[in-house]
Amino acid sequence: EQLSSGFSTAINASGHIKGISTSKSIAKFSYLPLSYIMYTFGISITVAYLFLFLIQGAVNGILITQYYGYKILGYSPKRYLLKVFIPSSVPAFVTFLFGYYISSFFVGIYSLVVAVVICSLLNITMFYFISLTKSERMIVNNMLQTIKIKLHI
């Protein structure tokens, strides 16, 4: 589902959205052969996950987004670097290092599970506090309050 979701969007979309979705989907599918190549060279699955986590952020989150942002909106690369890339890359890099360090204490599948859980939680938390502006955090908080009310928590 996760690999095909971008293609589903691309099939149903038109114009620029179709181009962005197609580019991101192709990048997602490239992870499969990259994972296999890493596996054949004896790289642990945890290191492969963390490496692909960084590739995902760099390719889908930064390069493709910047390309279309500049092409369609004229969003300057300098502004993108200062307002988007640096605030977004710091949490991703810290998450990668921390996930790798913590997962080194475990062996086998436990290492992967711990890395995935820690990376996900740390990434969400750091993006919330570092990457979002005060007004964006207020929007997220309002959405969470709405969900909490609907779930009667």
Side-chain angles (χ1 to χ4, degrees):
E1 172 64 26
Q2 189 63 12
L3 289 174
S4 66
S5 65
F7 283 118
S8 300
T9 304
I11 290 167
N12 297 319
S14 62
H16 297 302
I17 300 298
K18 188 177 205 93
I20 293 169
S21 297
T22 304
S23 301
K24 288 189 172 197
S25 297
I26 290 169
K28 279 185 185 178
F29 269 117
S30 70
Y31 305 153
L32 292 174
L34 281 173
S35 299
Y36 181 74
I37 291 168
M38 294 170 107
Y39 175 75
T40 57
F41 283 111
I43 296 173
S44 81
I45 193 162
T46 305
V47 173
Y49 166 77
L50 293 171
F51 178 73
L52 293 175
F53 174 78
L54 283 179
I55 297 290
Q56 162 70 18
V59 174
N60 276 344
I62 298 167
L63 297 177
I64 294 173
T65 306
Q66 170 52 36
Y67 171 74
Y68 281 101
Y70 181 71
K71 181 179 174 183
I72 298 167
L73 304 173
Y75 198 76
S76 76
K78 181 180 178 182
R79 185 171 182 204
Y80 183 80
L81 181 71
L82 295 174
K83 297 280 186 179
V84 178
F85 177 74
I86 292 173
S88 298
S89 63
V90 170
F93 186 70
V94 170
T95 301
F96 172 77
L97 291 177
F98 192 73
Y100 181 72
Y101 176 73
I102 293 296
S103 68
S104 66
F105 293 112
F106 299 92
V107 179
I109 193 71
Y110 299 115
S111 175
L112 178 64
V113 170
V114 167
V116 169
V117 170
I118 297 241
C119 283
S120 299
L121 292 175
L122 186 61
N123 206 20
I124 291 168
T125 304
M126 289 186 68
F127 273 112
Y128 179 82
F129 288 109
I130 294 175
S131 298
L132 297 180
T133 63
K134 187 176 183 178
S135 60
E136 291 170 334
R137 282 195 296 271
M138 286 176 51
I139 292 168
V140 170
N141 289 337
N142 289 337
M143 289 173 56
L144 291 173
Q145 287 297 334
T146 304
I147 292 169
K148 187 176 178 182
I149 290 169
K150 287 185 179 185
L151 295 175
H152 305 293
I153 298 177

